[in-house]
Amino acid sequence: MSVADRPDVRVTASLEDPSHPVIHLAGELDLASVETTRAGIHDYLTRASSRVTFDLGELTFMDSSGIALLVQVSNDVGAVRLVNVPPIVHRVLEATGLLEHFGLSP
Amino acid sequence: MTTTEQFSAVDASVGAARTFVTGMMADAPADIQDSVALMVSELATNALVHASGGFAVSVERSDGSMFVSISDRGEGTPVLQAPPSSEPHGRGLRIVDKLSDEWGISPPPGGGRRGKTVWFRLSLHPSGADAELVNSGDVAPRDRGTTN
């Protein structure tokens, strides 16, 4: 089976307030794309004071590789808020008991 | 009938395995496809991270359920963990445990010491809380989107 040779993830950010970046993730976040994503968000996080928001509206898939990244960011930065959470991401956060950790309601 | 596909030891195989399995259940409800995609992704990731070499995915679709197994040739057996919320890792099998109807781990056929198969089964029809949204027998569970 042929496989994509480039991770299918895109990172952009809104920096109206650089100390509180809003990072948009699009595409699929899994083992193949998590390191690209980690590198893509690094610069935004160095400017973040104590909170960061991820807009996941265009994320089509995320598994525990993405959860690991978000938990690490949460540990490093402080408060991580998730907005525009797609059903499949809500499902995996619910299955892992992490909805409240990211400020989401069941 | 069981369909099996081999995947090579590259990270992109995780997504390829998801596509392979969900491609066989395109008529299932979206939330059930999501659950299967998540579980396949976790087991494929485990196979790549903890084993050496690629893995095989077998899918058996019966009338009402999907049976999926992922086999690798690595040593060791995955363990169900309960990490605290600040721990980044250790949630793969937890996701399978939460989203499947049943799952298990089988030793390699032939009794070798290397390799294992992790499998799960999931009904294709909504159950529990999801079933309440399908409030009539006239509403086909395979109507994508009705439960979202």
Side-chain angles (χ1 to χ4, degrees):
Chain A
M1 171 168 285
S2 67
V3 291
D5 51 11
R6 278 198 299 172
D8 179 28
V9 71
R10 294 176 300 285
V11 179
T12 55
S14 307
L15 298 171
E16 289 171 16
D17 174 2
S19 69
H20 179 197
V22 180
I23 299 174
H24 301 252
L25 301 182
E28 300 189 337
L29 182 45
D30 65 3
L31 180 69
S33 60
V34 67
E35 291 310 320
T36 300
T37 308
R38 190 189 311 278
I41 67 177
H42 178 265
D43 284 351
Y44 304 127
L45 296 183
T46 57
R47 284 176 276 185
S49 55
S50 62
R51 58 185 177 142
V52 58
T53 297
F54 285 95
D55 186 327
L56 306 182
E58 293 182 65
L59 202 60
T60 55
F61 183 82
M62 185 183 91
D63 62 12
S64 67
S65 295
I67 288 178
L69 176 63
L70 293 177
V71 168
Q72 283 166 347
V73 171
S74 172
N75 291 344
D76 294 344
V77 173
V80 167
R81 200 164 72 98
L82 306 180
V83 297
N84 296 325
V85 178
I88 193 167
V89 176
H90 193 278
R91 178 161 291 246
V92 75
L93 292 172
E94 184 176 40
T96 51
L98 288 171
L99 285 172
E100 285 187 26
H101 186 73
F102 293 113
L104 299 168
S105 48
Chain B
M1 190 186 78
T2 301
T3 306
T4 301
E5 182 105 22
Q6 304 285 334
F7 294 89
S8 57
V10 296
D11 290 351
S13 288
V14 175
R18 290 197 301 269
T19 302
F20 166 61
V21 177
T22 55
M24 296 178 64
M25 51 184 298
D27 57 337
D31 59 336
I32 290 177
Q33 290 193 45
D34 286 353
S35 289
V36 169
L38 285 165
M39 291 189 281
V40 169
S41 207
E42 297 303 336
L43 297 182
T45 298
N46 280 351
L48 287 175
V49 171
H50 299 295
S52 53
F55 58 90
V57 180
S58 292
V59 183
E60 182 179 355
R61 181 172 174 173
S62 63
D63 285 345
S65 70
M66 292 283 282
F67 180 86
V68 179
S69 61
I70 296 189
S71 304
D72 65 56
R73 297 186 56 75
E75 294 182 5
T77 302
V79 176
L80 186 61
Q81 303 176 57
S85 56
S86 60
E87 166 57 46
H89 299 287
R91 296 187 174 83
L93 215 48
R94 171 73 48 188
I95 290 166
V96 176
D97 183 60
K98 286 284 184 183
L99 297 181
S100 66
D101 292 335
E102 55 177 336
W103 66 277
I105 301 171
S106 310
R113 286 197 303 171
R114 291 174 64 90
K116 71 273 181 187
T117 296
V118 187
W119 59 267
F120 68 84
R121 186 188 305 278
L122 181 62
S123 170
L124 288 167
H125 304 297
S127 61
D130 291 342
E132 294 170 12
L133 298 171
V134 183
N135 54 15
S136 159
D138 298 332
V139 179
R142 62 186 55 178
D143 246 3
R144 282 193 64 163
T146 52
T147 57
N148 283 329

